[in-house]
Amino acid sequence: MRTLSSYSKKFLRILLGILLLVTFAMRDSLPHAQAEAAFGAPILKWQLGGCYNSWCETGWYSSPATADLDGDGQVEVIASAYSIFVLNGSTGELEWKMASGHDRSEPNATNVGRTWPGIVIADIDHDGEMEIATAHSGGWVSVYNADGYFEPGWPQHPISSELRGLLVSDLDGDSTLEVIVTGAVGSRTNTWIYEHDGTLRPGWPQLNNDSGYAYGVFNANASAGDLDGDDANEIVVPSDVHYICAYEANGTQIPANLMYGAKGWGKVGVWESLEVELRGWGACNGVRTESYRTNFAHGPSVIADMNGDGAMEVVVTGNTYDCSADPYASRYDGVYIFNADRSRFNSDGFDWRLAPVDTGAPLTEDYGIIENNQPNPAVADLDGDGRMEIIYASYDGGVHAFWLDKTEHGNWPFSVYSPAEGFYRFATEPVIADLDANGFAEVIFTSWTEKGSNHTGKLHILDYLGNPIYEVSLPNAFGGEDWNGALPAPTLANIDSDPDLEVLLLTANSGVVAYDLPGTANASIQWGTGRGNYQRDGNISGAIQPSLTNSTKSSSLLNANPGESLTFTITLRNPSGTINNATMTDPLPPGLVFADNLWYSSGIASYSNGIVSWSGSVGQSADVVIRFDVAVDSTISSPTSIINTATIADGAGRSWQRQARVYILTHLYFLTIVRH
């Protein structure tokens, strides 16, 4: 029998390697190639959450939130279309509902108006309890306790116009959170900041002077974070002009780079051409460099360390238009990266002094035809290289993903619009998570359809290169509406007793909808809900972010006998900053019985009805340890494997599952390794 020589084998291995590389390159270059995944297709869990017998309130751009509001170990889903409703996460059943702008003490109150910004869940007054904050049309902003009753000092009514932006942030380092709202107003005074007790913060509202240019804020545009490294958070507010205001916590405008002269952020206009931007004005005369500038009426900002060097940048999207046309003509959604001093990002060989151009013309901007697209940017590390990518949906019907080299890799952009369908589709702000823990992130978003199309949107899951993995049609409209889909970013969370994530959607015409995501127990969430987290602050706080992803769970025994006791230990680890609203929920599975000795190094822990719960803060490199004993069911008579799963959450929309396995009536055998 012939055998290959060592040289022939080496040649074949090289040839096989080349063929594999070519195959992968071809796969990544094919338009919208179907990708493979180690997790299952989304499964509809429940729908019509918060609906009535024959109709649903229209859902707008408000992302749902989740929290165990009553401490019973069952996560609730909090959402708002017009009413604010709290749903059982496992079943979708209504637990309670109240009118927007009112609380549960007024059961017969009527709604103030629709809800545009995402639901805020946070410990706003630093009392160890979670609060709910909402903002609505009619100009009302409210802070509730977990039972749905107003906290002292709330609600507040800064304006009669719609409040389209809501976020909370600790601006002064006192561990309480300030409540920030922005309004769809016909005025440059567009931002109000309240202390946790509802009192208006000194220096606000803004803009109430001539330090910048501003107008109405018609989307959830504002972000907050420590932009300049001074240990105090700043606020960035794009609005309906081609300027972006950026404020210190006291309301003063942040100075811009001296290349712009003695100007603050809000006095430097955003033009496609940096030369014109530095000059300070454009002629709007039909010459492109003089006429293309970007408006931020619907253009949100994000604060992030894009290249991992410890310095924070501001990412903004907006509508780049031709100011020489009458009326102004929209050309494409522009995307920009600015340094803390308002200069354009140019670092590590990534030069954003000229931002990407001509990214896609609008299909339509007529909300009478299809509800408007909102180009909310999400920022995440898609490919695991330590640098951030910018992912956003555009009015061209596509979802874009820009790397720092200003190109879209793989099969990005991905279009949800197909002319062959005969009607328009738009896509939502995406959420990003590594669902199968393979080091590469998935991008999850939904779409909605044109009015009168009698079609519904889809739940889309794409791999990091823009290849579709799953596309699932959403439920049809309920109650006679002639279109459906979901307008806000989805929310990723674990809302039941299994270890997998669910994706939650506030649909336009079928209420709140939940899908199971099988095989996602070890997922890592990077951008988990609208504006990134439940504070809705659009803040990715650096290369080393506060996270509980390194938390662990262990058992004192791998093998046990019926009736024997063992100890579970859960260790919560956070590499950076402080997570103030962390929780741990551990429902004991059949076969294990709680046996006391509950111990915890900090925070508050309890046991009730088969569930061990903990809540508290996890500081940087200061591990929190939770320990308790269980007994194995004495009636087990055959070999059994028991998996005990704890769910750990950071209070900002991210959660992790950690498991410990115990083998009952089994024996481990170790084989000797024989070396030749």
Side-chain angles (χ1 to χ4, degrees):
M1 183 176 64
R2 292 184 178 181
T3 59
L4 292 171
S5 69
S6 61
Y7 294 104
S8 298
K9 291 178 181 177
K10 183 176 181 181
F11 173 77
L12 287 175
R13 285 196 297 268
I14 294 172
L15 180 60
L16 179 60
I18 293 172
L19 289 173
L20 287 172
L21 288 173
V22 171
T23 300
F24 285 129
M26 289 178 64
R27 181 196 66 182
D28 290 344
S29 66
L30 292 174
H32 298 173
Q34 194 72 30
E36 297 181 357
F39 55 91
I43 300 171
L44 182 63
K45 184 180 184 67
W46 46 260
Q47 59 177 306
L48 303 180
C51 291
Y52 303 92
N53 289 334
S54 60
W55 64 285
C56 301
E57 296 176 0
T58 303
W60 295 95
Y61 298 91
S62 175
S63 288
T66 64
D68 181 4
L69 294 177
D70 49 16
D72 65 351
Q74 170 59 59
V75 173
E76 280 78 37
V77 176
I78 306 95
S80 181
Y82 288 78
S83 302
I84 301 163
F85 29 85
V86 174
L87 310 171
N88 180 292
S90 290
T91 66
E93 294 179 358
L94 181 68
E95 294 188 2
W96 49 267
K97 177 185 287 190
M98 59 192 178
S100 63
H102 301 272
D103 73 359
R104 292 180 70 190
S105 67
E106 303 175 86
N108 298 318
T110 57
N111 289 316
V112 165
R114 70 174 174 181
T115 308
W116 187 292
I119 302 296
V120 166
I121 300 288
D123 183 1
I124 292 173
D125 55 8
H126 195 55
D127 65 350
E129 302 290 337
M130 303 299 286
E131 282 80 43
I132 305 166
T134 64
H136 312 277
S137 60
W140 292 92
V141 53
S142 305
V143 176
Y144 305 94
N145 65 23
D147 295 319
Y149 296 96
F150 286 132
E151 287 283 292
W154 299 94
Q156 293 297 324
H157 190 225
I159 53 174
S160 58
S161 300
E162 184 169 32
L163 295 174
R164 292 196 178 178
L166 168 67
L167 62 154
V168 297
S169 181
D170 183 3
L171 299 179
D172 49 20
D174 66 354
S175 297
T176 64
L177 302 179
E178 282 67 48
V179 178
I180 305 164
V181 288
T182 58
V185 293
S187 167
R188 68 183 184 183
T189 303
N190 60 22
T191 306
W192 292 258
I193 299 184
Y194 295 93
E195 303 290 352
H196 69 275
D197 60 2
T199 58
L200 195 63
R201 183 174 178 84
W204 299 89
Q206 288 292 345
L207 180 69
N208 59 7
N209 53 40
D210 62 356
S211 65
Y213 299 105
Y215 203 63
V217 185
F218 294 93
N219 190 18
N221 288 358
S223 59
D226 185 4
L227 180 58
D228 54 12
D230 64 353
D231 296 322
N233 285 350
E234 288 77 39
I235 306 99
V236 180
V237 187
S239 64
D240 190 11
V241 287
H242 63 285
Y243 298 83
I244 300 168
C245 287
Y247 305 100
E248 300 288 357
N250 63 5
T252 60
Q253 197 87 218
I254 297 174
N257 189 289
L258 289 177
M259 71 172 70
Y260 297 108
K263 295 179 179 178
W265 266 70
K267 281 287 183 76
V268 182
V270 180
W271 295 80
E272 183 184 88
S273 165
L274 179 58
E275 180 181 355
V276 172
E277 185 172 289
L278 287 168
R279 184 209 299 156
W281 57 273
C284 293
N285 59 3
V287 176
R288 177 165 179 163
T289 56
E290 297 286 340
S291 304
Y292 277 37
R293 62 191 188 192
T294 305
N295 175 277
F296 300 99
H298 296 264
S301 59
V302 169
I303 296 174
D305 179 2
M306 295 300 294
N307 60 333
D309 65 355
M312 305 300 285
E313 286 81 39
V314 175
V315 176
V316 192
T317 54
N319 179 26
T320 300
Y321 64 99
D322 182 351
C323 65
S324 68
D326 185 17
Y328 292 159
S330 299
R331 298 306 188 199
Y332 65 92
D333 273 326
V335 54
Y336 299 87
I337 305 177
F338 297 110
N339 297 312
D341 65 357
R342 176 49 184 79
S343 59
R344 298 196 186 190
F345 179 76
N346 179 23
S347 183
D348 292 343
F350 303 113
D351 187 351
W352 282 68
R353 288 174 294 181
L354 174 62
V357 300
D358 299 328
T359 58
L363 298 176
T364 179
E365 296 174 276
D366 184 349
Y367 61 78
I369 296 175
I370 182 172
E371 293 296 341
N372 290 152
N373 164 266
Q374 309 297 326
N376 298 16
V379 173
D381 182 2
L382 293 181
D383 55 9
D385 68 351
R387 297 187 178 101
M388 297 293 182
E389 284 74 50
I390 305 166
I391 310 97
Y392 67 95
S394 174
Y395 54 23
D396 66 355
V399 177
H400 295 263
F402 279 98
W403 269 248
L404 285 185
D405 63 8
K406 298 192 298 185
T407 67
E408 299 194 72
H409 295 191
N411 285 319
W412 298 107
F414 176 87
S415 181
V416 299
Y417 166 64
S418 172
E421 284 191 308
F423 55 86
Y424 292 129
R425 289 185 189 266
F426 281 148
T428 68
E429 173 188 342
V431 294
I432 294 102
D434 182 359
L435 295 177
D436 51 7
N438 69 347
F440 299 98
E442 282 71 43
V443 179
I444 304 101
F445 54 91
T446 55
S447 57
W448 68 94
T449 61
E450 182 178 335
K451 297 174 181 180
S453 67
N454 292 304
H455 283 78
T456 189
K458 296 180 181 181
L459 170 60
H460 306 261
I461 302 179
L462 277 59
D463 73 4
Y464 78 105
L465 288 173
N467 301 304
I469 300 172
Y470 299 114
E471 294 184 284
V472 178
S473 291
L474 301 181
N476 291 322
F478 181 69
E481 295 295 334
D482 56 15
W483 68 280
N484 199 25
L487 281 65
T491 293
L492 295 173
N494 187 3
I495 58 175
D496 55 18
S497 59
D498 70 31
D500 292 324
L501 287 177
E502 283 75 37
V503 58
L504 296 162
L505 312 174
L506 175 65
T507 66
N509 293 303
S510 53
V512 181
V513 176
Y515 286 86
D516 283 310
L517 295 177
T520 58
N522 296 313
S524 178
I525 299 174
Q526 295 191 49
W527 188 277
T529 187
R531 305 296 286 135
N533 56 59
Y534 290 162
Q535 291 188 193
R536 312 294 178 184
D537 61 3
N539 181 3
I540 300 296
S541 57
I544 302 177
Q545 303 168 33
S547 172
L548 297 174
T549 190
N550 294 324
S551 300
T552 61
K553 179 174 184 177
S554 62
S555 170
S556 62
L557 296 176
L558 182 59
N559 286 77
N561 295 313
E564 192 170 4
S565 294
L566 55 95
T567 301
F568 285 122
T569 301
I570 299 155
T571 303
L572 307 181
R573 294 192 172 99
N574 173 25
S576 177
T578 299
I579 296 175
N580 291 313
N581 305 312
T583 59
M584 187 283 301
T585 305
D586 191 341
L588 298 183
L592 297 180
V593 180
F594 184 68
D596 297 321
N597 294 327
L598 176 60
W599 179 88
Y600 44 98
S601 59
S602 66
I604 301 172
S606 62
Y607 170 79
S608 177
N609 298 321
I611 299 171
V612 178
S613 301
W614 174 91
S615 62
S617 299
V618 185
Q620 179 178 352
S621 303
D623 294 350
V624 174
V625 179
I626 306 147
R627 188 179 300 129
F628 59 92
D629 293 344
V630 298
V632 179
D633 186 348
S634 60
T635 65
I636 294 176
S637 58
S638 60
T640 303
S641 172
I642 300 176
I643 299 174
N644 185 16
T645 301
T647 298
I648 300 161
D650 65 357
R654 296 179 297 174
S655 63
W656 301 263
Q657 286 73 43
R658 296 296 178 262
Q659 297 179 333
R661 185 186 298 266
V662 182
Y663 296 92
I664 314 302
L665 294 175
T666 62
H667 298 281
L668 292 180
Y669 295 93
F670 297 92
L671 299 178
T672 302
I673 297 175
V674 179
R675 300 184 184 276
H676 294 282

